Amino acid sequence: EMKIVTAVTAISCLIIVIVTGHKGANITHGEDFIYAPVLADEQPQQVLFDDAEVYANMVQPVFQSKCAGCHNEKKAKGELIMATAALLQQGGKSGPLWDSAENDGGLLLRRIHLPLQSKKHMPPAGKPQLTDEEAAIISNWIRSGANFSAKVNELPPTDSLRIMAAAMFSTIETDDYSFSPADENKIKNLHNNYRTVTPLATGSPALGVEFFSTAQFNANQLKELLAVKEQIVALNVNKMPVTDDDLKIIGQFINLRKLNLSFTNIKGAGLQMLKPLKELRQLSLSGTGVGAANLATLAALPNLTQLFIWSTPAQTENLAAIKKQLKNTSIETGFTGDTIKIKLNEPLVQNEEDVLMEPMPLKLKHFIKNVSIRYTTDGSEPDSIKSPEYKAGVIIDRSMTVKTKAFKPGWYSSDIVERSFFKAGYKIDSIQLLKAPDQKYKSINPAVLTDAQKGEPKFGNGKWIGYREQPLEAMMILNEAKDISMVTISSLIDINSYLMPPQEIIIWGGNNAGQLHLIKKITPEQPQKSVPVYIKGYDLVFKTEKLKYIKVMVKPLAKLPAWHGGKGEKGWAFVDEIFLN
């Protein structure tokens, strides 16, 4: 009897050890860590270059494979969880993961570039290490602003992330297809003067089909394509008399990625016939009779990322409900026939100097012909009607912020480019900081605020002084009193690094340091979402006074807004120059 009790007890203990040990190992190493070497790798969903997002498809997979084992909901080493974008932005016990104010990009990049033998190197020794390519992806993403929504194909052609993505992701033309090529004789017989059937790339089994003659088109020409239905990846029947009934044939081209039905005769009832097209990425319905209700059936297409509905009943109807159903699909209204209405790139501000020692011409340029460049200097957003059109000869003779935008008929207008110019004004003979900057900026000479030398958005020249725990308070002294009507504060805004517009800017003045009076107070507008890094000049304009002493206070934002990843935390205020005019 004693032996039975002993055996039962031993077996029970063994089970407890195995279960608890397995759960503990799962927390440390991840689920199924024992079987991982012998199980087939779970393959991520294949993403094409045109559909890829920088964070979701390049950055996040690295975090998942190399970091999540120690920084997850079950085991948050260093109080850091890397499961979501919001938690990444929140950081851990050691603070934010990245900081544009740091030359090395901040904590995360610093840790992954430490020597492997260092205790603080990440990932720790003994864990799978980042490859050079993975480290480059993380580094370039952080240094470019750590954008969580940017698409790869929206990056400039010379961008390092885009170049790396080109090697990582295939296009429709170069995708690695599992189906066999069609018989060459079949392709040759299907190709004629009114219909082209051609391989999308040399050596690729994928075929692209286009129709050219409305008069010659009939449904039988679509049926003939069933001979190569597995190989058709792109089909363009733009402006052909295709009907809803014909969609039953097209729905059999099971490997279709791109389908252009623009300006055909379809009304929308036949869209349900496209449900078998599980690989479809792009669908063009512009110029058809399709309504918003007809689009609901497209929710059955798991890979649909772009839908064009320009000049359709759906365009003018309430699409809110449909957009919720097609949450992974971008619904575009700018498709015109068989081409996409393109967005203009931003105008180029060619002025090299930001600080005006004397009046200088404003230099704006755009490389596309017949583009109208509109601009404003009063803080409003440029439009194509009321805003002045840029012509050579516009002079900048005072501190101002220029906002400019490009317009052209048939194109989407560009994003706004904002550039602040600062008039150097009076020479400030001396400056005293009444409150010390935060620790890392205490060594910077206060004279950088009055030397008319601008800082850079990347903090490359050590011109910025940062405050977080207390306001910047500075006293500026002139050798003799001057007529002053404006004080300008140059500030850096880098939302992802907690550098926000000041909560408040206040100035006092007078001719006796001990008897200053309040002159002006402003509350800068706060952004409502994350935007790229920019430099902003805040002008405090007042009735002209003869002043010898000017005191400035710049208050950092007390609490980051609810939409920010660091909501509730203190913001930074960064200043590089103060100008008196």
Side-chain angles (χ1 to χ4, degrees):
E1 193 172 301
M2 179 64 69
K3 289 182 179 180
I4 295 175
V5 172
T6 303
V8 170
T9 302
I11 293 171
S12 299
C13 291
L14 179 61
I15 292 172
I16 292 171
V17 169
I18 291 173
V19 171
T20 56
H22 179 67
K23 288 185 177 293
N26 278 349
I27 292 174
T28 301
H29 302 290
E31 302 290 341
D32 296 327
F33 80 104
I34 293 177
Y35 300 106
V38 296
L39 292 176
D41 291 339
E42 182 180 347
Q43 295 299 320
Q45 183 179 8
Q46 294 298 312
V47 177
L48 295 178
F49 181 89
D50 285 344
D51 301 328
E53 295 183 5
V54 177
Y55 170 72
N57 303 117
M58 297 181 72
V59 177
Q60 198 273 340
V62 178
F63 288 157
Q64 180 62 35
S65 64
K66 300 296 174 69
C67 309
C70 294
H71 303 289
N72 54 66
E73 291 90 341
K74 296 180 181 178
K75 179 187 178 183
K77 188 175 181 181
E79 299 178 15
L80 172 63
I81 301 175
M82 304 179 73
T84 67
L87 291 170
L88 279 170
Q89 291 175 300
Q90 181 176 310
K93 182 172 64 176
S94 300
L97 290 182
W98 50 83
D99 185 353
S100 298
E102 300 285 358
N103 290 331
D104 59 8
L107 180 66
L108 177 59
L109 294 184
R110 195 179 306 131
R111 292 285 180 89
I112 67 177
H113 288 107
L114 284 173
L116 181 60
Q117 61 271 24
S118 172
K119 290 183 178 180
K120 293 187 176 182
H121 172 83
M122 290 296 157
K127 300 281 186 178
Q129 298 297 306
L130 271 67
T131 65
D132 290 344
E133 182 183 45
E134 289 172 336
I137 288 172
I138 302 302
S139 178
N140 280 283
W141 178 66
I142 289 175
R143 294 182 186 282
S144 64
N147 189 312
F148 284 88
S149 59
K151 295 194 67 174
V152 167
N153 65 1
E154 294 173 349
L155 300 175
T158 56
D159 187 275
S160 298
L161 284 168
R162 181 174 180 134
I163 292 171
M164 285 188 282
M168 294 174 61
F169 304 109
S170 58
T171 64
I172 285 181
E173 290 78 14
T174 63
D175 202 3
D176 185 15
Y177 295 105
S178 59
F179 51 80
S180 302
D183 183 87
E184 291 186 9
N185 288 328
K186 287 184 180 179
I187 298 174
K188 185 177 180 180
N189 291 334
L190 291 169
H191 188 87
N192 55 47
N193 292 333
Y194 313 112
R195 178 184 62 201
T196 62
V197 182
T198 56
L200 292 179
T202 303
S204 172
L207 299 178
V209 179
E210 291 194 54
F211 288 84
F212 297 99
S213 175
T214 301
Q216 298 293 327
F217 179 86
N218 59 65
N220 286 330
Q221 293 185 351
L222 282 175
K223 290 180 181 178
E224 291 170 358
L225 294 174
L226 292 174
V228 291
K229 64 180 182 180
E230 291 185 2
Q231 289 79 23
I232 296 177
V233 168
L235 175 63
N236 183 359
V237 288
N238 173 56
K239 299 180 181 177
M240 298 296 116
V242 174
T243 67
D244 285 271
D245 290 339
D246 297 327
L247 298 185
K248 186 174 182 179
I249 302 171
I250 295 175
Q252 298 179 59
F253 303 151
I254 57 173
N255 288 311
L256 205 57
R257 265 67 163 176
K258 284 186 178 181
L259 174 59
N260 188 346
L261 294 169
S262 296
F263 298 95
T264 58
N265 296 336
I266 68 171
K267 303 299 180 184
L271 289 179
Q272 60 180 332
M273 303 294 184
L274 301 182
K275 287 183 178 180
L277 304 183
K278 303 303 183 184
E279 300 293 336
L280 193 64
R281 266 71 163 178
Q282 186 183 98
L283 175 60
S284 305
L285 299 172
S286 300
T288 66
V290 172
N294 302 125
L295 301 179
T297 189
L298 300 179
L301 305 178
N303 289 306
L304 186 65
T305 56
Q306 286 185 300
L307 175 63
F308 299 98
I309 57 169
W310 178 83
S311 191
T312 65
Q315 184 185 16
T316 58
E317 297 170 356
N318 185 359
L319 289 173
I322 298 301
K323 286 183 176 180
K324 287 183 179 180
Q325 290 180 282
L326 305 179
K327 59 183 179 180
N328 296 321
T329 302
S330 173
I331 300 179
E332 307 286 349
T333 59
F335 193 78
T336 55
D338 55 356
T339 60
I340 299 175
K341 190 176 181 180
I342 301 173
K343 184 176 182 177
L344 288 168
N345 54 313
E346 302 162 351
L348 179 65
V349 184
Q350 294 184 300
N351 295 76
E352 295 182 3
E353 301 295 332
D354 297 312
V355 179
L356 308 177
M357 298 301 180
E358 57 186 22
M360 67 179 181
L362 176 64
K363 299 178 181 179
L364 305 180
K365 185 175 183 179
H366 204 283
F367 292 101
I368 295 178
K369 292 182 179 181
N370 302 319
V371 164
S372 172
I373 302 177
R374 304 277 180 161
Y375 71 97
T376 61
T377 59
D378 61 359
S380 63
E381 295 194 356
D383 62 37
S384 60
I385 300 174
K386 297 179 182 179
S387 302
E389 184 173 12
Y390 171 74
K391 303 290 183 184
V394 177
I395 300 297
I396 309 171
D397 58 0
R398 57 184 173 84
S399 294
M400 66 173 67
T401 296
V402 176
K403 292 185 178 181
T404 181
K405 191 174 185 178
F407 299 88
K408 185 177 181 179
W411 297 60
Y412 289 124
S413 57
S414 73
D415 291 330
I416 294 175
V417 174
E418 183 174 326
R419 177 85 170 268
S420 292
F421 294 94
F422 305 89
K423 187 177 179 181
Y426 296 118
K427 180 181 182 295
I428 299 172
D429 296 298
S430 66
I431 183 171
Q432 301 171 0
L433 291 181
L434 305 180
K435 290 189 176 181
D438 277 68
Q439 186 63 40
K440 66 175 70 173
Y441 303 102
K442 284 185 176 180
S443 62
I444 297 178
N445 190 328
V448 301
L449 298 177
T450 62
D451 62 2
Q453 299 294 316
K454 293 289 294 126
E456 298 174 358
K458 295 291 186 182
F459 304 90
N461 57 5
K463 293 289 185 179
W464 297 95
I465 294 183
Y467 283 79
R468 191 183 195 191
E469 298 302 325
Q470 59 185 351
L472 180 158
E473 288 189 24
M475 179 75 81
M476 291 164 289
I477 305 169
L478 306 177
N479 288 339
E480 59 181 49
K482 302 286 187 182
D483 289 331
I484 298 175
S485 60
M486 183 168 70
V487 176
T488 301
I489 309 295
S490 173
S491 183
L492 178 66
I493 316 301
D494 184 351
I495 291 172
N496 288 333
S497 297
Y498 297 16
L499 280 64
M500 305 293 286
Q503 181 168 302
E504 196 172 45
I505 303 175
I506 310 171
I507 57 173
W508 297 264
N511 291 306
N512 185 321
Q515 295 181 335
L516 303 181
H517 61 277
L518 178 66
I519 294 179
K520 185 78 174 183
K521 177 168 61 175
I522 66 170
T523 303
E525 183 180 357
Q526 295 294 327
Q528 301 302 309
K529 62 180 180 179
S530 183
V531 295
V533 180
Y534 65 97
I535 295 174
K536 175 72 174 178
Y538 296 101
D539 297 330
L540 289 86
V541 181
F542 49 91
K543 187 177 180 179
T544 302
E545 292 192 43
K546 193 173 285 292
L547 302 171
K548 183 175 182 179
Y549 297 92
I550 301 96
K551 178 183 173 182
V552 172
M553 177 185 286
V554 181
K555 294 183 179 180
L557 189 64
K559 289 185 178 181
L560 295 173
W563 56 263
H564 195 284
K567 63 180 179 180
E569 297 188 40
K570 295 179 181 179
W572 284 86
F574 270 66
V575 177
D576 69 336
E577 287 296 322
I578 302 175
F579 299 98
L580 306 180
N581 286 281

